[in-house]
Each structure stands twice: as C-alpha cells, then as structure tokens.
Amino acid sequence: MLGDKLRFGAFIAPFHPIEENPTLAIQRDLELVQWMDQLGYDEAWIGEHHSAAYELIASPEVFIAAAAERTKHIRLGTGVSSLPYHHPLMLADRINQLDHMTRGRVMFGVGPGALVSDAFMMGIPPSKQRDRMDEALEVLVPLLRGETVTHKSDWFELSNARLQMTPYSRPSVEIAVASQVSPTGARAAGKHGAGLLSLGATSTGGFNALASNWAVAEEQAKEHGQTMDRRAWRLVGPMHIAETREQAMADVRFGLEKWIYYFREIANLPIVPADADNPVEALINSGMAVIGTPDDAAAKIQQLLDESKGFGAFLFMAHNWADWTATKKSYELFARYVAPRFQDLNVNRQASMDWVKSNKAEFTGQMQAAVGARIVQHMMEKGSENIRPEIVEMITGGAKPPGE
C-alpha cells in the first residue's frame, strides 16, 4: 500500500550578496523556480523583506504573479507575508486575486516579520509584532473564506468587510504559519487549523523543537475545535548536493562566507553556528546543513522524519552558497536521486525488476522455444542458406537441417 508522497520545494528568502546586480539576482530567483518546476518540485515559497540589503524581494505577491506565468505545476506561496505590515483587507484581496490568477496554485504563508529593521522603519514596536500577527490572522481566515468581517483595532479597522470574489480554492487558499523555536507560530497554526512552516528545522534549537512545537499546535487545535494535518507541516533547512562530498564542500565556498557575514553582522536571526576555523565543517558537524551527496541528503530527511514523527514537505532554504551552475545541479541531483526514495516513485519498478529476475530462466526458455520454432519453420520452408551457421548448429544439434 503506497503512502502519501513527501513533497519537496524551496523557501526562497532570497539571499543575495550586496555586490551583485540586484536586477539579475531577482531574475535568477525566477529562473530557479522555473528550473524547479521542470524538475518536478512541488512548492516554492517567496519571502518579504524591506531592509538590510540582502533579502531583495519586497512583494512576494508580485514575484508569484510573474513566476506563475512561467511555470505549469509548482505551487507558489508567500514565505512569508509579514502581517503587521499590511492592512488585512488589502492583503487578503491580493492573495485572493492570486488564487484566481494561478487557478489555485497560490499558498499563503504568514508571520510577524523577521527583520526588526523593517518594523522600525514603519514605526512598529518589535514587542507588538506577534500580537499584531495574531490579531490580523483572526480576520484574515474568515475574509479568505469569503465571509464578512467587522473588527476595530488600534492599528486597523474593518467595517462589513468582504472580498469581492469568492475564493477559487475552497474553503479558502491554504494558510501556513511560520515557526522557529518559540511556540508563537505553533499556537497560531493550531488555533486556526493552519499549516506549520518550521523554519530553521535543522538547527539545534529548531530540530529539538520539532516534536514539542507540533504538540503545542495539536493542543491548541483541540482547544479551538480544529485539527492539525501533518501533510500541511513543512520543514525548512539548507542543503547543497554534489556527486561527492569534496565537490559539495568546494562548491559552497563560492558564497558561504558572505551568507555567514549577513547573519552574524547584519540580520537579527541567530541561525549560524558560532565562529569556527572551518565554517563548512562547522555547519555540517552541527547538523544544521547538508553539504554532501544525495545519500547525505536522504539521511537527513530520514532523521527529520524520525524526530518529527512525520511531516508533509521538506523545503530547501535557498542560500546561493554555490554558483548558479552548481546550484542548478544540486537541485537536479536531489530530484533525481533523493526525492524518489521518499515518494515511492520506484516501488513498482523494483517489484517488476525483481519479478522478471526471479523468473528469468522460465522466460528465457519460453523465448528460446518460440524463436527456435520460427527458425525451424523457416528452415523447413526455405532451407538454412540464409540462417547463420551457429544458429543452425544450436537448433539442430549438428544434425542435417530439414529440407537438405
């Protein structure tokens, strides 16, 4: 009996060093999503950031609209929309429009906002961000179901607010809440029966929090009459894959130091291991990143499955550690050699091969008998002049051929 297919995708913040041409960097992000679509990946989630110069996409909705026109199958999510930065009606309307434009391929990832500098520019106290996310989600869920909402807050107001178009996806577009180590996202997901986006799932804190955060979400869901679906749980972590570990480690030296600099010196997200003489080895040894072969990637996925007791999708944290050619190769190797192990893609192929192998003697005998009968028939009708001598020898055992 085949189980549910584990899905794979990417969480594209994105990360681009400051010396790069930003126009070309965004273009390459679009090309990555196109490449993933061709390789059969299931999902791509696009971030929202407004400062610090490294994570360039300000509007995931605009990016998704462009990516949807260039792809056929891959689902596209906001990864994530920072709810305190938007009036809920305006955000719901944009997501609902994308739901129609993509024929249901859009997903709505939400969070409080990762960069304090973004909130600072808008005069939003960091201490208020998570409360505002919770309040916004309270009205976004019914709005995206096509319901009418009235709500008065100290930062937004809704008066008989309703989207003009009923949702394309029913009952609404899929919603997922970002979560890292704290239970904030898990509590919100459970309260609304939404999916869970576990960011930094491979870091020590994130990994250890997997089972506990899911338990928090299930507890909240039970209290609010909701249910949690493990298929809607997505884990995020960085990987780079090559044919050998040595090649993978050489590849990531292209951009890893710049990425580490951003997280240590600029961003306020402590996801990079402490200083080490060899950052590549430090990331590998800490378990935060896979920098290695398809077998290494498969081992990490299995470890996450065991720790979490099951989830629906694994998303690469898109990092641009390697150059573009090596990055594309990494995604290809994973799609070719890792994803099939967790999607039962070759179960029937293996069964078919084993069956034929175990019956090879019988099938070979039947084949030889059938071919031999035709050869004998031809020799009886036309003689053996045009039959290769060794075949005649095999059929007749050295006796004089029929008709001669």
Side-chain angles (χ1 to χ4, degrees):
M1 186 74 176
L2 297 178
D4 290 328
K5 287 168 57 177
L6 188 62
R7 304 185 309 280
F8 296 101
F11 193 87
I12 304 171
F15 299 114
H16 294 298
I18 195 167
E19 67 270 18
E20 285 196 25
N21 182 324
T23 307
L24 297 181
I26 293 175
Q27 176 66 31
R28 196 165 64 252
D29 293 329
L30 284 167
E31 291 175 10
L32 175 59
V33 176
Q34 289 177 267
W35 181 235
M36 293 173 62
D37 187 55
Q38 293 175 38
L39 291 172
Y41 282 89
D42 301 281
E43 304 177 356
W45 297 76
I46 316 302
E48 175 194 352
H49 303 88
H50 304 280
S51 61
Y54 220 80
E55 302 170 80
L56 296 180
I57 295 174
S59 172
E61 302 98 330
V62 172
F63 185 98
I64 288 170
E69 291 297 303
R70 302 178 185 209
T71 56
K72 295 180 180 179
H73 310 291
I74 194 167
R75 300 184 71 205
L76 303 162
T78 59
V80 295
S81 295
S82 300
L83 298 190
Y85 306 166
H86 305 275
H87 191 289
L89 180 63
M90 297 296 96
L91 182 56
D93 231 352
R94 295 197 298 271
I95 297 299
N96 193 45
Q97 180 176 329
L98 278 177
D99 189 30
H100 284 266
M101 291 174 64
T102 63
R103 298 295 194 271
R105 279 200 286 149
V106 73
M107 303 170 291
F108 186 35
V110 303
L115 297 178
V116 173
S117 48
D118 288 355
F120 177 85
M121 291 193 299
M122 289 176 269
I124 301 172
S127 60
K128 296 288 188 181
Q129 285 179 255
R130 282 150 189 81
D131 292 339
R132 291 188 179 186
M133 181 197 79
D134 290 338
E135 188 173 18
L137 199 53
E138 288 281 355
V139 300
L140 281 164
V141 170
L143 282 172
L144 287 168
R145 288 178 178 162
E147 299 173 15
T148 302
V149 179
T150 294
H151 183 91
K152 188 173 181 60
S153 166
D154 61 351
W155 65 285
F156 73 85
E157 185 172 347
L158 295 171
S159 181
N160 292 317
R162 179 174 58 197
L163 303 182
Q164 295 182 96
M165 295 188 292
T166 51
Y168 181 91
S169 301
R170 303 300 171 89
S172 82
V173 63
E174 182 180 0
I175 300 173
V177 186
S179 173
Q180 198 153 357
V181 177
S182 82
T184 302
R187 290 177 62 88
K191 182 177 181 179
H192 298 285
L196 191 63
L197 275 165
S198 291
L199 310 181
T202 53
S203 67
T204 300
F207 182 78
N208 292 336
L210 288 180
S212 60
N213 273 351
W214 186 255
V216 168
E218 287 192 315
E219 180 182 49
Q220 287 292 306
K222 185 176 181 180
E223 288 183 14
H224 291 87
Q226 304 285 352
T227 57
M228 294 298 295
D229 185 352
R230 285 183 177 271
R231 292 172 297 181
W233 189 11
R234 296 162 173 93
L235 273 54
V236 182
M239 289 189 176
H240 178 77
I241 310 302
E243 285 88 350
T244 66
R245 291 179 182 175
E246 292 75 19
Q247 184 60 56
M249 294 173 74
D251 287 345
V252 302
R253 297 189 190 281
F254 171 83
L256 179 60
E257 290 281 3
K258 297 171 186 177
W259 184 85
I260 289 176
Y261 173 81
Y262 171 68
F263 275 101
R264 284 184 179 162
E265 305 297 333
I266 310 299
N268 47 285
L269 296 173
I271 68 172
V272 178
D275 290 340
D277 294 335
N278 189 326
V280 175
E281 290 185 357
L283 284 169
I284 295 171
N285 294 337
S286 70
M288 178 183 171
V290 171
I291 303 172
T293 66
D295 285 342
D296 294 326
K300 188 64 175 183
I301 299 295
Q302 189 60 56
Q303 181 189 23
L304 291 171
L305 285 168
D306 293 341
E307 171 68 15
S308 66
K309 304 298 187 292
F311 55 91
F314 179 82
L315 309 176
F316 298 118
M317 177 188 286
H319 44 60
N320 286 304
W321 291 346
D323 67 21
W324 180 227
T325 299
T327 295
K328 289 181 67 178
K329 185 66 173 179
S330 175
Y331 279 84
E332 180 184 357
L333 288 171
F334 189 96
R336 290 177 66 185
Y337 299 116
V338 183
R341 306 188 198 187
F342 299 95
Q343 297 179 326
D344 294 329
L345 296 186
N346 290 320
V347 170
N348 280 14
R349 292 180 70 196
Q350 187 64 58
S352 181
M353 178 178 282
D354 292 343
W355 175 67
V356 174
K357 180 181 179 181
S358 66
N359 291 279
K360 182 179 180 181
E362 180 182 348
F363 294 152
T364 300
Q366 291 180 7
M367 180 271 293
Q368 289 176 342
V371 172
R374 279 305 181 97
I375 293 173
V376 169
Q377 180 183 355
H378 176 82
M379 290 166 59
M380 292 181 67
E381 294 176 358
K382 302 293 185 179
S384 60
E385 180 181 353
N386 295 321
I387 304 296
R388 291 171 57 184
E390 63 268 26
I391 295 178
V392 174
E393 176 74 20
M394 178 185 71
I395 296 297
T396 65
K400 188 176 181 181
E404 293 188 7

